[in-house]
Amino acid sequence: MELYEAMSTLRAVRRLKPDPIPDDVQGRILNAATWAPTGGNVQPWRMVAVTDADKKQTLEDLYRPYWEAYIPGYESKMKNMPEEVQASTNRALDAGTYLANHMHEVPLIAVFCFNPGIMTITDIDQPRTSVVGGGSVYPAVQNFLLSCRNEGLGCVLTTLLCYEEPAVKELLGIPEDWYTCAHVPVGYPVLGGHGSISRRGIDEMVSFNSWR
Ligand SMILES: Cc1cc2nc3c(=O)[nH]c(=O)nc-3n(C[C@H](O)[C@H](O)[C@H](O)COP(=O)(O)O)c2cc1C
């Protein structure tokens, strides 16, 4: 599919069918992740591709309470939003609740892991939250998402399971010096799947030569 079309329609798809992903398709989406740029060419990330029914159920059980706790905060923010935004936000929240109750059914949950010990983290000494390390992992996640889009698969980047990182690490046998940063459920969409997105435009996001 055309690259800009894929990028501009890569919205979150949270209603996913249990139908299996053919091996050749799965191979391509996994491979796409490995093409991402990486600090120092170290590729300090790994993915645990979870297909086991019991493990997917455990991930769902760990995820659901955090999704349920997240909704009320969002609903209170919605009160000041225009009606059409409220309607689309409500649809997204419903889809999120669907995912929280059906995560065990999706054919694949991609758990992205990273090892900070082998990363080049150039902002580590700054007196703020360090983000550069994530730059060696999230491009792989984005490649993976775009590849799913290209294959007609639905997917959504999630992070709520990071609240339960020790339990996820134990479940998946992730070594002590590796951590988790994204969990991407993947499957064929129940409804229309990916489609138009709403984002701030370049007028707001970009300035030339100095900060505004
Ligand atoms: C860092 C990050 C964390 C996210 N965590 C979650 C999550 O835990 N659960 C979820 O349903 N969506 C999660 N999302 C997806 C966002 O909610 C989604 O991209 C956003 O609402 C925009 O929706 P749209 O892509 O459908 O326009 C996350 C996205 C990012 C970038």
Side-chain angles (χ1 to χ4, degrees):
M1 114 181 260
E2 204 267 321
L3 181 61
Y4 290 142
E5 194 197 337
M7 287 174 160
S8 63
T9 58
L10 185 60
R11 73 178 172 208
V13 178
R14 299 183 176 93
R15 294 177 198 264
L16 303 166
K17 289 182 187 168
D19 305 20
I21 302 169
D23 286 349
D24 58 330
V25 175
Q26 183 170 283
R28 287 194 293 273
I29 60 175
L30 300 178
N31 205 26
T34 67
W35 294 332
T38 150
N41 209 15
V42 172
Q43 292 184 276
W45 65 270
R46 298 291 183 273
M47 180 209 292
V48 181
V50 183
T51 58
D52 175 83
D54 292 341
K55 289 184 179 179
K56 288 186 293 184
Q57 183 66 61
T58 304
L59 290 176
E60 175 183 310
D61 294 342
L62 290 167
Y63 182 90
R64 196 183 315 103
Y66 292 92
W67 176 260
E68 284 168 356
Y70 170 80
I71 296 175
Y74 218 95
E75 281 173 341
S76 67
K77 273 192 242 161
M78 267 170 37
K79 286 182 192 124
N80 304 321
M81 294 176 184
E83 233 167 69
E84 67 277 11
V85 181
Q86 285 192 28
S88 69
T89 306
N90 265 326
R91 283 196 296 275
L93 289 177
D94 284 350
T97 300
Y98 182 95
L99 176 66
N101 290 311
H102 292 79
M103 197 180 279
H104 69 281
E105 279 177 4
V106 307
L108 170 68
I109 304 173
V111 177
F112 283 84
C113 308
F114 66 99
N115 182 340
I118 56 171
M119 282 176 161
T120 307
I121 306 178
T122 55
D123 64 349
I124 195 122
D125 294 326
Q126 298 302 327
R128 57 162 173 79
T129 305
S130 171
V131 298
V132 169
S136 281
V137 190
Y138 288 112
V141 178
Q142 182 71 1
N143 269 11
F144 182 71
L145 297 172
L146 280 169
S147 180
C148 290
R149 172 74 189 100
N150 189 45
E151 299 288 349
L153 285 162
C155 54
V156 55
L157 194 173
T158 79
T159 53
L160 286 174
L161 276 170
C162 292
Y163 288 119
E164 287 287 348
E165 184 173 73
V168 172
K169 284 180 66 164
E170 194 184 335
L171 178 72
L172 305 179
I174 296 169
E176 204 178 326
D177 50 349
W178 288 80
Y179 301 91
T180 60
C181 64
H183 313 77
V184 183
V186 181
Y188 290 99
V190 170
L191 304 173
H194 295 290
S196 62
I197 54 171
S198 162
R199 298 285 189 269
R200 296 185 176 116
I202 54 176
D203 288 354
E204 196 178 340
M205 304 301 280
V206 182
S207 58
F208 286 88
N209 301 316
S210 63
W211 183 273
R212 305 236 161 246

